[in-house]
């Protein structure tokens, strides 16, 4: 009888980076949650947290699963793409935009993905999700050491040492989002938010250079900062605003005087994959949604 992967075990936010007693800490990477199944009949399934089939979009992961994993293996991890010295989430988005065929193969050569594996759920026909985290972790480390598993598979670090866990928080410049805390004695529980997630948050000042949506009710804000030459540089955008925040900000935005420094500019990195989105400088009236500053 064919086995199936359990639904993903989930996280819940915690306010402290301190490692709870009886728990292990793992780095939380800036990537896509992904579960991987390699069946004995050479079928491979790579799926997202929501259950979307991503197998065709990441052919290098599927090929490695067939070449390296024993039959009837199930893993849980995080898909990431390295660019230079840090993780590039926008490259993952672009990889998913090229879901099949030659486009997926070309993207795999340009922006190869890795699967940072933090759990093993099935191995050699045995469902080990009911086992404790500590026991599953031992199996996972043995799988990496004795198989051995190599790139594009990477073993996610795990520690029970509070100082080591805190030291990982210094990796944020490379794309670490925070820490995950997992109780050593706990089994893998599908759809249960039992893992803790501490997310690193940093604050800084920025200028609202443009918006998506309308100036009266912006959907997102495009942010900028002045460089050493006094030029306003785009630095990123916010998450979608809720209605209360949008209404409040809509009353605070004021028109730009003179020519806007971002007029005619297209903002590509990190944007949704849908084409034709337009951004507008803060001004009274105006409409459209977007990607280009008008």
């Amino acid at each position: 009888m064919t086995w199936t992967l359990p639904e993903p075990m989930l996280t819940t936010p915690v306010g402290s980076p301190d490692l709870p007693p009886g728990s292990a800490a793992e780095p939380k990477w800036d990537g896509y949650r992904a579960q991987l199944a390699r069946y004995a009949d050479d079928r491979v399934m790579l799926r997202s947290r929501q259950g979307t089939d991503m197998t065709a979009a990441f052919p290098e992961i599927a090929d490695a699963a067939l070449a390296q994993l024993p039959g009837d293996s199930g893993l849980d991890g995080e898909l990431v793409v390295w660019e230079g010295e840090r993780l590039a989430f926008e490259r993952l988005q672009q990889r998913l935009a090229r879901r099949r065929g030659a486009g997926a193969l070309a993207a795999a050569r340009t922006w190869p993905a890795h699967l940072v594996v933090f759990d093993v759920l099935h191995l050699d026909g045995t469902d080990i999700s009911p086992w404790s985290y500590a026991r599953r972790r031992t199996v996972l480390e043995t799988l990496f050491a004795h198989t051995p598993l190599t790139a594009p598979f990477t073993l996610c670090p795990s520690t029970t040492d509070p100082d080591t866990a805190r030291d990982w928080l210094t990796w944020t410049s490379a794309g670490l989002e925070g820490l995950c805390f997992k109780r050593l004695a706990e089994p893998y529980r599908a759809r249960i938010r039992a893992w803790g997630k501490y997310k690193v948050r940093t604050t800084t000042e920025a200028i609202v250079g443009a918006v998506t949506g309308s100036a009266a009710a912006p959907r997102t804000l495009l942010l900028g900062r002045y460089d050493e030459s006094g030029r306003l540089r785009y630095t990123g955008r916010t998450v979608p605003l809720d209605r209360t925040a949008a209404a409040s900000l809509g009353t605070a935005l004021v028109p730009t005087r003179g020519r806007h420094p971002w007029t005619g500019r297209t903002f590509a990195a990190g944007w949704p994959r849908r084409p034709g989105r337009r951004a507008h400088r803060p001004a009274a009236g105006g409409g459209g949604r977007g990607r280009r500053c008008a």
Side-chain angles (χ1 to χ4, degrees):
M1 181 177 178
T2 301
W3 57 275
T4 59
L5 289 166
E7 293 296 315
M9 191 167 175
L10 304 174
T11 63
T12 188
V14 297
S16 171
D18 296 332
L19 179 63
S23 299
E26 297 173 357
K28 172 64 180 73
W29 308 98
D30 188 13
Y32 280 151
R33 177 77 175 275
Q35 291 182 316
L36 176 66
R38 194 277 198 208
Y39 296 97
D41 61 3
D42 290 345
R43 289 182 298 117
V44 174
M45 167 68 78
L46 181 70
R47 73 182 190 188
S48 71
R49 189 183 70 177
Q50 291 79 21
T52 301
D53 186 351
M54 302 187 294
T55 314
F58 296 93
E60 71 274 37
I61 303 297
D63 290 345
L66 287 173
Q68 298 188 39
L69 291 177
D72 289 334
S73 301
L75 306 177
D76 198 354
E78 195 91 2
L79 275 173
V80 299
V81 170
W82 283 96
E83 186 173 41
E85 299 298 319
R86 64 168 290 113
L87 299 177
F89 184 77
E90 63 272 17
R91 300 305 183 198
L92 275 174
Q93 292 177 309
Q94 292 164 355
R95 288 291 307 270
L96 279 177
R98 305 178 183 186
R99 287 184 174 272
R100 298 184 182 279
L105 291 172
R109 290 190 293 268
T110 305
W111 303 308
H114 288 74
L115 182 65
V116 183
V117 183
F118 52 69
D119 217 327
V120 56
L121 310 175
H122 208 97
L123 191 64
D124 291 330
T126 301
D127 177 13
I128 64 174
S129 60
W131 296 4
S132 69
Y133 169 87
R135 189 179 178 189
R136 298 196 314 275
R137 179 70 194 188
T138 298
V139 172
L140 181 61
E141 291 176 357
T142 300
L143 179 65
F144 266 85
H146 292 180
T147 303
L149 296 186
T150 59
F153 299 117
T154 302
L155 178 63
C156 183
S158 175
T159 187
T160 56
D161 177 45
D163 292 335
T164 300
R166 280 221 172 235
D167 185 61
W168 287 341
L169 294 175
T170 64
W171 298 1
T172 53
S173 61
L176 180 124
E177 290 187 329
L179 298 173
C180 283
F181 301 127
K182 302 179 179 181
R183 289 188 285 272
L184 296 172
E186 188 166 45
Y188 191 97
R189 298 193 288 159
R191 299 185 300 276
I192 300 301
R193 294 187 176 276
W195 291 338
K197 180 174 71 173
Y198 173 78
K199 191 168 184 178
V200 176
R201 297 186 182 276
T202 58
T203 60
T204 187
E205 293 185 350
I207 294 170
V208 179
V211 302
T212 65
S214 68
R219 291 192 62 198
T220 64
L221 308 179
L222 278 66
L223 306 177
R225 300 185 71 177
Y226 288 109
D227 62 16
E228 294 179 354
S229 67
R231 183 178 179 183
L232 185 63
R233 297 281 189 177
Y234 171 72
T235 57
R237 69 166 182 169
T238 66
V239 298
L241 305 175
D242 60 38
R243 291 184 179 180
T244 300
S248 176
L249 285 166
T251 63
L253 296 174
V254 296
T256 301
R257 296 180 180 178
R259 180 176 173 81
H260 194 288
W262 292 348
T263 298
R265 181 176 172 184
T266 297
F267 302 93
W271 281 86
R273 297 185 299 277
R274 289 182 296 173
R277 297 174 62 87
R278 295 179 56 81
H280 299 267
R281 62 187 181 184
R289 290 182 291 179
R291 192 174 177 180
R292 185 178 178 87
C293 190

